[in-house]
Amino acid sequence: MSDRKILVGLSTASVYPENTEAAFRYAAEVGYDGVELMVWAESVSQDISAVKRLIRKYAVPVQAVHVPCLLISQRVWGADPVAKLDRSVAAAEALGASNVVVHPPFRWQRRYADGFSDQVAGLEEKTGAVVAVENMFPMRADSFFGGRERTAERLRKRGGPGAALSAFSPSYDPTEFGYRHYTLDLSHTATAGMDAMDLVRRMGTGMSHLHLADGRGASVDEHLIPGHGTQPCVEVCGHLVENGFSGQVVVEINTQNARTRPERASMLGQALSFARDNLR
């Protein structure tokens, strides 16, 4: 067991629909160790000089950069996903962030998918950055029927997520291909119906980044406060501690239902407390 403190950051996506500066402010007020910068449509998230000003203003470092690879950010930093990954690693270097989080390519991004593993390996070798490929989830057939609670209950009764189609190449499970570094997302394991602890073991020492969240197995990605779903969040944190985890933990939760800023701060505080309590 390691005595090293595991840093706990806040994903800037966790404060949506508030902006990037709000994430820095919450991180400073609540007591996070840093932020993971989600690069998306908001202009400040794309402006490295503006982000540097936020680092100085709030005395909160950027621990990681998340590549703009969501469907809603397909045009952020241009249309070429190869160039966007390169630019994200350069942004991380400029901001002093050690980790870059990236999703597997979409199936229709054929040129990107064909060269993805070589690009990731080349960037790590050239820059020393950790490019951690994240586990995702398939599009489930039951996402078209009923609400989250109903589909989660259907999942439990069925013993699995049922018919699904992966939009990712070669797979939504990055361990099927094999990379040097991985990001584990516990909301994504819920939606995919995966055994999170089995995935942790398969990632092994290559797991360098954790998106700490939770899910109930609904057909959509929930990103609940850890401890509010069915995922083995306590067990995963315990595993990291016992095995001397030297990577980063980032809280990535959905706070869109918060009606006020104090309520959002409370949700972020609950998630941080969970992380601190279980990562000692």
Side-chain angles (χ1 to χ4, degrees):
M1 184 184 297
S2 173
D3 292 329
R4 178 187 181 275
K5 177 186 177 183
I6 298 175
L7 299 179
V8 182
L10 175 66
S11 168
T12 58
S14 295
V15 307
Y16 182 83
E18 292 192 69
N19 59 20
T20 300
E21 179 165 5
F24 275 85
R25 185 180 67 249
Y26 283 117
E29 292 175 353
V30 177
Y32 281 86
D33 296 311
V35 301
E36 177 184 304
L37 177 68
M38 172 68 79
V39 181
W40 70 299
E42 190 219 0
S43 59
V44 170
S45 74
Q46 304 172 36
D47 186 338
I48 302 307
S49 295
V51 174
K52 286 181 176 180
R53 289 193 289 272
L54 295 178
I55 293 172
R56 293 191 295 269
K57 180 177 180 179
Y58 294 98
V60 171
V62 173
Q63 295 170 272
V65 172
H66 196 304
V67 180
C69 45
L70 300 170
L71 285 172
I72 61 172
S73 56
Q74 286 288 288
R75 296 294 174 178
V76 173
W77 282 354
D80 182 2
V82 175
K84 288 198 280 192
L85 178 51
D86 285 343
R87 187 167 177 178
S88 297
V89 172
E93 286 189 290
L95 294 170
S98 58
N99 281 22
V100 175
V101 177
V102 63
H103 296 175
F106 290 114
R107 288 191 178 278
W108 55 84
Q109 296 172 319
R110 292 182 180 177
R111 183 176 70 87
Y112 179 45
D114 288 344
F116 180 69
S117 61
D118 288 339
Q119 183 185 10
V120 168
L123 285 168
E124 290 193 317
E125 182 176 352
K126 177 181 177 182
T127 67
V130 169
V131 182
V133 185
E134 184 173 3
N135 63 294
M136 297 301 294
F137 52 89
M139 180 182 294
R140 283 175 26 194
D142 57 355
S143 64
F144 301 103
F145 306 100
R148 296 185 181 187
E149 294 289 349
R150 289 174 57 194
T151 55
E153 180 61 27
R154 197 175 291 126
L155 173 70
R156 284 190 290 270
K157 290 180 178 178
R158 247 193 337 243
L165 176 67
S166 175
F168 298 96
S169 177
S171 171
Y172 60 85
D173 177 357
T175 67
E176 289 187 10
F177 185 85
Y179 302 95
R180 186 177 177 187
H181 296 111
Y182 300 101
T183 295
L184 173 69
D185 187 301
L186 290 171
S187 178
H188 295 173
T189 55
T191 303
M194 300 178 74
D195 181 329
M197 287 305 300
D198 177 64
L199 183 57
V200 168
R201 287 187 285 269
R202 284 190 281 115
M203 287 182 171
T205 57
M207 181 183 163
S208 58
H209 203 80
L210 171 66
H211 279 165
L212 184 57
D214 212 333
R216 296 165 294 191
S219 59
V220 291
D221 193 16
E222 296 179 284
H223 284 279
L224 304 176
I225 296 171
H228 287 216
T230 61
Q231 294 304 285
C233 299
V234 172
E235 291 84 352
V236 168
C237 289
H239 176 87
L240 299 186
V241 173
E242 291 295 328
N243 288 274
F245 181 66
S246 60
Q248 301 173 348
V249 171
V250 167
V251 167
E252 189 180 68
I253 61 172
N254 184 343
T255 64
Q256 292 183 57
N257 290 333
R259 292 165 294 182
T260 64
R261 288 183 175 180
E263 186 177 353
R264 176 165 288 117
S266 176
M267 295 173 73
L268 298 175
Q270 289 178 55
L272 179 60
S273 294
F274 181 98
R276 297 281 193 227
D277 289 344
N278 290 286
L279 290 169
R280 291 177 179 170

